[in-house]
Amino acid sequence: MDATDIDKSSNEEKRNLSLGGHVGFDSLPDQLVSKSVAQGFCFNILCVGETGVGKSTLMNTLFNTMFENDEASHYQNGVYLRPRTYDLQESNVHLKLTIVDTVGFGDQINKEQSYKPIVDYIDTQFENYLQEELKIKRALFNCHDTRIHICLYFIAPTGHSLKSLDLVTMKKLDSKVNIIPIIAKADTISKSELHKFKIKIMSELVSNGVQIYQFPTDDEAVTEINASMNAHLPFAVVGSTEEVKVGNKLVRARQYPWGVVQVENESHCDFVKLREMLIRVNMEDLREQTHARHYELYRRCKLEEMGFKDTDPDSQPFSLQETYEAKRKEFMGDLQHKEEEMRQMFVNKVKETEAELKEKERELHDKFEHLKRMHQEEKRKVEEKRRDLEEEMNAFNRRKVAAETLQAQSLQAASQQPLKKDKDKKN
Amino acid sequence: MSQSGEKGKFPEAAGYVGFANLPNQVHRKSVKKGFEFTLMVVGESGLGKSTLINSLFLTDLYPERYIPGAAEKIERTVQIEASTVEIEERGVKLRLTVVDTPGYGDAINSQDCFKTIIQYIDNQFERYLHDESGLNRRHIVDNRVHCCFYFISPFGHGLKPLDVEFMKAIHSKVNIVPVIAKADTLTLKERDRLKRRILDEIAQQGIRIYQLPDADSDEDEEFKEQTRVLKASIPFAVIGSNQLIEVKGKKIRGRLYPWGVVEVENPEHNDFLKLRTMLVTHMQDLQEVTQDLHYENFRSERLKRPGRAVEEEGVDKDRILMQKEAELRRMQEMIYQMQAQMRMKPADE
């Protein structure tokens, strides 16, 4: 049987039956829940916003904890991301929370490359997960999922519109992560201005094609509340970790000379709405969306890049195994080809160098010969000169001898006469 | 001076000459002439510059404003918009020019942000210099920028790199008055911390902002106290508003929130009144410092190098020539090296 036959038969065989009594498989969701509670949950939040816009304070307010953090400076050279992981527990539910902060965002004078480190970080987390998935010996259930589930984009409360940096960054991020835009430090905007500001922001996002996260409306239990919340985006929030006495209660608020802004007062800001949506209602949906939509998109692009396809030119389903083998063979072939090339190059080079050396040797030899000849020339000349010199010496000696003989003869002649005289005298 | 014998000629008391009337004459003439003041406002979009100017001078200087969307801002350049109004108060006429700089800090690459602004300031100085050196000096129009309000964002932790760069570039050309905008974001503690932070950073970076002159010793205590308070409040944390809200039966400028009303002219809420007082009482001093310090600096620099426009061209050509010469030298060196190598090789063998 091939694929199409199996489908048809399963359609024919699927029948709806009613149960005679209580079987008990309605406890399946509970089993799932207890298993996931035992495993613990994992949630990763990315906070993108300018320095000083209130990201750390909002996180502290949202999770009612003081995550240790110091104020960032405005003078960073570039944007870099700082992930920090915390283990939180509420009732018997463990949450491994990772908060990733963008340090230095919006501070540089030239912000054209500001979005790159953020996109790179998100891609790296996807890549890590993909690598784990593709391993032969996997440990998916054990590994710590670091993919970003939600990106909270903090918009500065100018009251006019989005900044150019906001638009560019959100466009780059909307296909990689769930974005929820938030208006930070919203206690600086009055009610009427806030209404206009929200409308302006949403219309700008829509007209520029930025896809933000929509709370899901397909589950009847949460449809209503999600639909109404969708209309309140972007949430205008105020964060505070300080407590102020209002009435006879201590509430988290900001104290001004003209009044007190209460964080959890729905008519003051949308903090409660954000907390509801983010944590209490849709956290699991955010994780699902990240896995099912954004991660799958990344995986598909990455594998296509590597050359894998789901169907080959004949529209027959390709198995990953076959593609792997084909790629491997190709790769080995490439390798061998390269090796051959390199060997050829090496041989050529050796030949060339040999030829050069020979050339040099010949030159050297020639020079040697030349020098030798010159030497002989010189020697001959010197010999000649010596002979000349010797001849001159001989000539000089003969003349000397001749001269001496003459002198001796003359002397003798002179000395003989007196001798004769002497002889005569003596005689 | 005059003796009792000449009492009849002078109806006033003995010894009175009358030049104590001079200040009145100056007052009369200046009222007749009217005053001119040019104020420049610089800051990122959305910090409330226009609202503050409207609140300061209690008029609507910006009737129809076009605010561009984010997509248009990405490549936006800075424009200079100067609007002049004549306002009058108790017979004193003021010709106020407000120079706005829309587009500052909007583009995604703000590197060339302040070139336009600096060029504008220099052009005004240039024009005044030209007029002053001309033959007919009767009607010199003073369009030089006397004061620059620099708006600092309250959402950060202090000065941003763009703020520092800009202030360093213009502190020798114009009086800078730093202003913390939208101060209703800050609680009192946060405001003090931010002010101290900004003053520290300004001192650290060597930026020269406008210093209020100390009160003369012959002024009364009230004025001295006022000057002291003003000096201690720089940079001013201000709030502006275009709306009138009814509070306790009176209509005042303010902002209405669900948790209370921020009054613009309430000194406990913000430093708006201090800013207005400073501007109004020191308008003359701002003009003087511009004339005596910044303009004179510009003038001496300018006269040292005549024909600046031509020189810039020449500078370009010189630079190109030098570059070409450097290249030539490099190539010659390379040739020498190669020759030396070739000579060395046979010698080695």
Side-chain angles (χ1 to χ4, degrees):
Chain A
M1 285 210 285
D2 62 341
T4 41
D5 279 346
I6 297 180
D7 270 351
K8 257 196 251 158
S9 61
S10 62
N11 271 337
E12 286 165 0
E13 282 176 15
K14 213 161 57 167
R15 292 172 289 163
N16 284 338
L17 298 170
S18 57
L19 300 169
H22 178 79
V23 180
F25 60 77
D26 59 355
S27 67
L28 275 170
D30 296 329
Q31 296 174 29
L32 202 59
V33 165
S34 51
K35 182 164 122 151
S36 44
V37 167
Q39 233 177 21
F41 294 90
C42 165
F43 197 62
N44 307 321
I45 304 181
L46 169 67
C47 292
V48 181
E50 291 175 4
T51 310
V53 80
K55 306 185 282 290
S56 315
T57 312
L58 186 70
M59 286 296 111
N60 290 350
T61 320
L62 209 55
F63 290 98
N64 224 342
T65 334
M66 288 297 278
F67 300 120
E68 15 83 45
N69 42 35
D70 17 59
E71 255 180 25
S73 101
H74 281 283
Y75 300 97
Q76 305 284 348
N77 272 338
V79 180
Y80 72 95
L81 280 90
R82 192 171 55 179
R84 280 189 291 217
T85 311
Y86 306 98
D87 271 312
L88 304 172
Q89 182 175 3
E90 198 177 49
S91 317
N92 59 343
V93 178
H94 287 267
L95 178 67
K96 206 183 185 81
L97 178 72
T98 304
I99 299 182
V100 186
D101 216 349
T102 49
V103 180
F105 189 74
D107 278 335
Q108 297 78 35
I109 295 186
N110 185 352
K111 304 186 268 272
E112 280 172 354
Q113 304 298 320
S114 289
Y115 68 88
K116 277 225 174 96
I118 306 177
V119 169
D120 287 342
Y121 181 84
I122 297 176
D123 280 344
T124 313
Q125 307 317 307
F126 280 154
E127 185 64 33
N128 290 344
Y129 194 84
L130 183 65
Q131 290 303 324
E132 186 65 34
E133 235 192 10
L134 290 178
K135 269 194 198 161
I136 296 178
K137 200 154 182 231
R138 318 201 281 205
L140 271 182
F141 56 89
N142 227 355
C143 108
H144 174 47
D145 182 7
T146 53
R147 299 171 296 180
I148 301 288
H149 299 123
I150 170 85
C151 168
L152 290 174
Y153 196 95
F154 288 71
I155 299 173
T158 56
H160 289 324
S161 69
L162 286 175
K163 294 194 184 177
S164 50
L165 177 64
D166 297 339
L167 193 61
V168 166
T169 311
M170 280 206 261
K171 273 212 90 153
K172 296 276 175 193
L173 292 179
D174 71 348
S175 57
K176 295 197 179 278
V177 74
N178 303 315
I179 302 184
I180 294 185
I182 299 182
I183 301 176
K185 298 202 171 175
D187 54 356
T188 203
I189 314 183
S190 66
K191 268 240 161 9
S192 51
E193 289 168 357
L194 186 62
H195 190 64
K196 271 190 279 176
F197 191 36
K198 281 190 181 184
I199 294 178
K200 188 82 203 305
I201 293 180
M202 291 311 278
S203 75
E204 280 200 320
L205 289 175
V206 162
S207 63
N208 284 293
V210 176
Q211 284 178 329
I212 57 172
Y213 177 71
Q214 297 292 325
F215 301 118
T217 45
D218 44 4
D219 178 1
E220 328 84 45
V222 290
T223 292
E224 230 184 84
I225 186 170
N226 276 350
S228 76
M229 288 302 174
N230 271 331
H232 279 110
L233 281 174
F235 293 127
V237 292
V238 174
S240 172
T241 45
E242 289 163 1
E243 303 201 324
V244 173
K245 205 172 177 78
V246 171
N248 53 358
K249 284 196 305 167
L250 271 181
V251 289
R252 287 182 294 178
R254 284 173 67 74
Q255 171 110 53
Y256 290 111
W258 48 86
V260 176
V261 182
Q262 293 160 36
V263 166
E264 291 179 341
N265 185 333
E266 293 224 36
S267 58
H268 286 190
C269 71
D270 295 333
F271 173 79
V272 174
K273 295 193 182 78
L274 175 69
R275 189 177 54 193
E276 245 344 88
M277 286 294 101
L278 185 62
I279 302 179
R280 294 186 186 172
V281 176
N282 293 311
M283 213 180 209
E284 187 54 37
D285 182 71
L286 284 164
R287 283 154 40 109
E288 234 183 83
Q289 286 276 340
T290 309
H291 182 73
R293 199 151 63 103
H294 300 289
Y295 171 67
E296 286 301 313
L297 182 63
Y298 175 82
R299 181 173 172 278
R300 196 171 67 207
C301 292
K302 207 62 202 310
L303 291 180
E304 268 174 7
E305 241 177 71
M306 294 208 281
F308 293 107
K309 278 189 276 287
D310 266 343
T311 53
D312 72 359
D314 301 330
S315 301
Q316 291 287 81
F318 237 18
S319 86
L320 211 65
Q321 178 79 359
E322 286 171 29
T323 326
Y324 246 170
E325 290 296 308
K327 288 237 131 216
R328 200 165 161 186
K329 258 188 255 161
E330 217 188 292
F331 184 64
M332 292 309 236
D334 260 342
L335 233 120
Q336 280 187 344
H337 189 71
K338 281 220 172 95
E339 252 189 79
E340 271 302 315
E341 264 187 49
M342 279 178 55
R343 209 172 293 143
Q344 275 291 31
M345 254 174 45
F346 184 67
V347 166
N348 284 349
K349 267 237 156 90
V350 168
K351 278 202 195 134
E352 265 174 42
T353 326
E354 252 188 75
E356 264 185 47
L357 281 172
K358 279 216 172 103
E359 185 64 43
K360 288 257 160 80
E361 216 186 302
R362 202 168 42 81
E363 261 178 47
L364 209 65
H365 202 70
D366 283 343
K367 260 207 174 142
F368 183 62
E369 293 288 311
H370 182 71
L371 276 172
K372 202 158 126 186
R373 252 177 281 135
M374 272 178 53
H375 177 74
Q376 286 190 349
E377 272 285 322
E378 295 284 309
K379 200 164 157 188
R380 197 171 48 82
K381 283 198 190 133
V382 168
E383 280 284 334
E384 266 188 46
K385 284 217 170 114
R386 196 165 74 92
R387 254 179 281 136
D388 283 341
L389 191 66
E390 270 193 36
E391 272 191 38
E392 268 191 50
M393 268 175 61
N394 285 344
F396 176 69
N397 275 340
R398 265 181 269 136
R399 280 214 301 255
K400 186 172 160 187
V401 164
E404 275 185 357
T405 327
L406 268 173
Q407 217 184 40
Q409 274 184 356
S410 65
L411 258 178
Q412 234 186 20
S415 66
Q416 262 188 0
Q417 282 206 331
L419 256 175
K420 267 190 182 165
K421 278 186 189 159
D422 275 347
K423 255 185 180 173
D424 286 334
K425 268 188 191 166
K426 271 183 188 170
N427 293 344
Chain B
M1 204 178 120
S2 59
Q3 301 308 310
S4 41
E6 300 165 33
K7 237 189 219 168
K9 289 194 188 166
F10 299 98
E12 319 290 336
Y16 181 73
V17 181
F19 55 73
N21 254 324
L22 273 170
N24 293 345
Q25 296 175 27
V26 171
H27 190 265
R28 225 179 43 232
K29 277 209 175 247
S30 61
V31 164
K32 202 174 106 184
K33 197 170 106 175
F35 293 89
E36 310 178 299
F37 192 72
T38 306
L39 172 68
M40 178 181 260
V41 280
V42 185
E44 284 180 8
S45 302
L47 283 182
K49 302 185 291 290
S50 322
T51 315
L52 184 71
I53 297 295
N54 286 347
S55 311
L56 261 180
F57 297 103
L58 294 173
T59 65
D60 192 6
L61 235 65
Y62 302 93
E64 275 168 30
R65 275 179 70 208
Y66 168 65
I67 302 179
E72 293 160 321
K73 283 192 204 170
I74 294 180
E75 298 272 315
R76 198 175 182 207
T77 51
V78 178
Q79 288 122 27
I80 306 277
E81 284 174 7
S83 39
T84 311
V85 284
E86 293 230 0
I87 44 184
E88 186 180 323
E89 194 180 57
R90 287 197 219 151
V92 178
K93 286 200 266 277
L94 173 66
R95 204 171 130 267
L96 171 74
T97 309
V98 175
V99 182
D100 199 359
T101 51
Y104 178 81
D106 269 352
I108 216 167
N109 184 353
S110 304
Q111 219 128 35
D112 298 328
C113 228
F114 31 95
K115 286 208 185 118
T116 325
I117 301 177
I118 295 182
Q119 226 172 22
Y120 177 80
I121 299 176
D122 281 343
N123 280 350
Q124 304 312 311
F125 277 151
E126 182 80 39
R127 214 187 299 175
Y128 192 84
L129 178 63
H130 185 210
D131 285 346
E132 197 188 47
S133 334
L135 292 175
N136 185 358
R137 303 206 295 185
R138 286 194 124 228
H139 297 290
I140 304 182
V141 178
D142 185 8
N143 265 328
R144 299 170 295 186
V145 179
H146 299 120
C147 179
C148 173
F149 280 178
Y150 191 79
F151 284 69
I152 300 170
S153 165
F155 308 123
H157 294 316
L159 291 177
K160 297 207 182 111
L162 180 63
D163 301 337
V164 170
E165 289 296 317
F166 179 75
M167 287 206 269
K168 272 194 190 167
I170 66 163
H171 67 168
S172 56
K173 295 187 189 281
V174 78
N175 300 313
I176 303 181
V177 176
V179 170
I180 301 176
K182 292 202 169 175
D184 54 355
T185 305
L186 305 164
T187 60
L188 289 178
K189 234 190 338 166
E190 289 168 355
R191 183 192 306 175
D192 289 335
R193 203 161 57 138
L194 186 62
K195 282 192 185 184
R196 248 179 292 128
R197 196 67 172 272
I198 291 178
L199 286 174
D200 285 343
E201 285 181 3
I202 286 180
Q204 229 176 33
Q205 301 278 351
I207 299 172
R208 297 193 291 272
I209 57 173
Y210 173 67
Q211 299 293 336
L212 285 163
D214 287 321
D216 293 329
S217 47
D218 55 349
E219 299 278 354
D220 56 3
E221 260 309 308
E222 205 185 300
F223 189 71
K224 281 195 209 163
E225 179 63 27
Q226 187 191 66
T227 315
R228 259 199 299 267
V229 165
L230 282 182
K231 275 182 98 109
S233 310
I234 291 186
F236 298 111
V238 293
I239 303 171
S241 170
N242 282 332
Q243 297 163 324
L244 291 167
I245 303 182
E246 179 124 358
V247 167
K248 290 189 207 143
K250 289 193 302 171
K251 273 201 179 271
I252 55 161
R253 278 186 183 243
R255 289 173 66 73
L256 178 64
Y257 289 115
W259 48 86
V261 177
V262 182
E263 297 165 34
V264 165
E265 293 182 6
N266 185 335
E268 286 169 30
H269 288 188
N270 68 348
D271 296 333
F272 176 81
L273 278 184
K274 295 199 186 86
L275 178 67
R276 187 195 267 164
T277 314
M278 186 221 84
L279 186 62
V280 163
T281 51
H282 294 270
M283 217 179 243
Q284 185 60 26
D285 183 62
L286 283 163
Q287 284 181 333
E288 266 178 38
V289 174
T290 310
Q291 165 77 27
D292 297 338
L293 183 60
H294 301 298
Y295 175 67
E296 289 300 320
N297 268 343
F298 173 83
R299 188 171 168 277
S300 54
E301 284 295 308
R302 181 75 173 71
L303 293 181
K304 266 194 241 170
R305 301 182 280 121
R308 220 170 84 179
V310 173
E311 191 174 297
E312 277 184 359
E313 259 186 333
V315 165
D316 277 339
K317 285 205 199 117
D318 283 331
R319 229 183 303 140
I320 297 176
L321 267 169
M322 276 176 26
Q323 281 177 0
K324 292 254 155 86
E325 274 182 41
E327 261 190 64
L328 262 169
R329 247 178 282 132
R330 252 180 282 137
M331 297 195 137
Q332 281 185 336
E333 274 179 33
M334 270 170 56
I335 295 179
Y336 284 146
Q337 276 181 15
M338 292 209 290
Q339 284 184 342
Q341 274 185 12
M342 282 181 21
R343 260 184 257 127
M344 268 175 44
K345 264 198 191 154
D348 283 341
E349 288 151 15

